[in-house]
Amino acid sequence: DAKTTQPPSMDCAEGRAANLPCNHSTISGNEYVYWYRQIHSQGPQYIIHGLKNNETNEMASLIITEDRKSSTLILPHATLRDTAVYYCIVDYYGGSQGNLIFGKGTKLSVKP
Amino acid sequence: DTGVSQDPRHKITKRGQNVTFRCDPISEHNRLYWYRQTLGQGPEFLTYFQNEAQLEKSRLLSDRFSAERPKGSFSTLEIQRTEQGDSAMYLCASTGTGHNYGYTFGSGTRLTVV
């Protein structure tokens, strides 16, 4: 079973920030938080990952709470092309445990 | 390198037939994964290779399923005696050992068993 819980769906207005929450209360000390997204009819796409500190890249920012039991993915200026299912996953460094366990994710709809 | 390639993109087959899918990972990636995804669900892990060695298999991988990666490069996934319940998207992903940049997925093969 997935070790994360996410809301099934969210809406966001185009140009606004999209904040996608994820709970991972049973995360262990050496597990990372990964985010992927899946646009319709494509394979999942890696977005960002983090361990303890907040992270930012060209796609998004990842905010992890101090107790590491939850995190938020932030798309600062959502566009229509960001409409996708977003998956929050916990995994060991480099996926050394062999596989990713996906939940059902959050379906983000960006509306004009 | 253009990423992870999967072939074919779509396959329609009659129940009871055998099908084979191919995955070409990113060339320097030594780890290769197969996932299955049904409508409305997240991808489910099937099996994993490190180089040519198959290191892990899910309970989902019944006796009718077999995967190979003979030279540690491309991989094939074969389903024998297909059933309607095998209809799904079959995804391949690759990654390298010792780096932490996530998995790169292919676009998948959509199988429809009629």
Side-chain angles (χ1 to χ4, degrees):
Chain A
D1 290 347
K3 299 173 70 173
T4 61
T5 56
Q6 300 176 253
S9 64
M10 292 182 64
D11 290 342
C12 178
E14 188 178 19
R16 303 296 294 269
N19 298 290
L20 292 92
C22 179
N23 288 323
H24 31 79
S25 58
T26 60
I27 192 170
S28 62
N30 53 352
E31 283 184 308
Y32 284 69
V33 180
Y34 285 82
W35 283 83
Y36 287 77
R37 74 179 182 183
Q38 188 172 25
I39 296 169
H40 183 61
S41 295
Q42 298 182 22
Q45 175 191 24
Y46 164 79
I47 301 172
I48 198 168
H49 71 276
L51 182 63
K52 298 180 187 177
N53 300 322
N54 298 337
E55 303 289 343
T56 296
N57 63 20
E58 64 279 3
M59 290 182 70
S61 295
L62 174 60
I63 308 298
I64 303 174
T65 58
E66 192 170 343
D67 64 7
R68 303 210 324 123
K69 292 186 177 181
S70 65
S71 61
T72 301
L73 179 76
I74 300 172
L75 309 177
H77 305 287
T79 71
L80 298 178
R81 288 176 295 181
D82 292 321
T83 292
V85 178
Y86 287 77
Y87 296 100
C88 169
I89 300 165
V90 297
D91 194 22
Y92 294 95
Y93 180 88
S96 60
Q97 296 302 302
N99 72 85
L100 299 173
I101 299 175
F102 289 80
K104 291 188 178 182
T106 295
K107 184 173 183 178
L108 176 68
S109 298
V110 180
K111 300 183 184 296
Chain B
D1 197 342
T2 57
V4 177
S5 299
Q6 291 190 247
D7 183 69
R9 287 297 310 275
H10 304 275
K11 177 72 176 178
I12 299 174
T13 190
K14 291 184 178 179
R15 190 174 54 183
Q17 297 293 305
N18 299 343
V19 294
T20 300
F21 311 139
R22 177 180 171 123
C23 171
D24 286 90
I26 291 174
S27 56
E28 62 265 29
H29 285 180
N30 60 345
R31 295 185 177 184
L32 185 148
Y33 304 80
W34 285 98
Y35 284 79
R36 182 177 74 181
Q37 185 173 26
T38 53
L39 199 61
Q41 304 296 317
E44 297 172 290
F45 170 75
L46 291 178
T47 190
Y48 147 58
F49 290 84
Q50 181 157 319
N51 300 312
E52 65 275 11
Q54 189 173 17
L55 296 186
E56 189 173 348
K57 290 194 284 188
S58 161
R59 291 187 305 256
L60 294 175
L61 213 66
S62 75
D63 292 345
R64 297 184 296 104
F65 287 70
S66 62
E68 294 184 342
R69 194 183 182 196
K71 297 183 180 179
S73 57
F74 73 91
S75 175
T76 58
L77 178 68
E78 181 183 15
I79 309 174
Q80 295 182 327
R81 305 181 302 282
T82 53
E83 302 172 356
Q84 286 190 320
D86 297 331
S87 294
M89 174 77 84
Y90 290 84
L91 292 160
C92 176
S94 69
T95 190
T97 307
H99 75 74
N100 204 21
Y101 298 112
Y103 293 27
T104 302
F105 282 83
S107 295
T109 294
R110 166 118 9 232
L111 173 67
T112 302
V113 181
V114 298

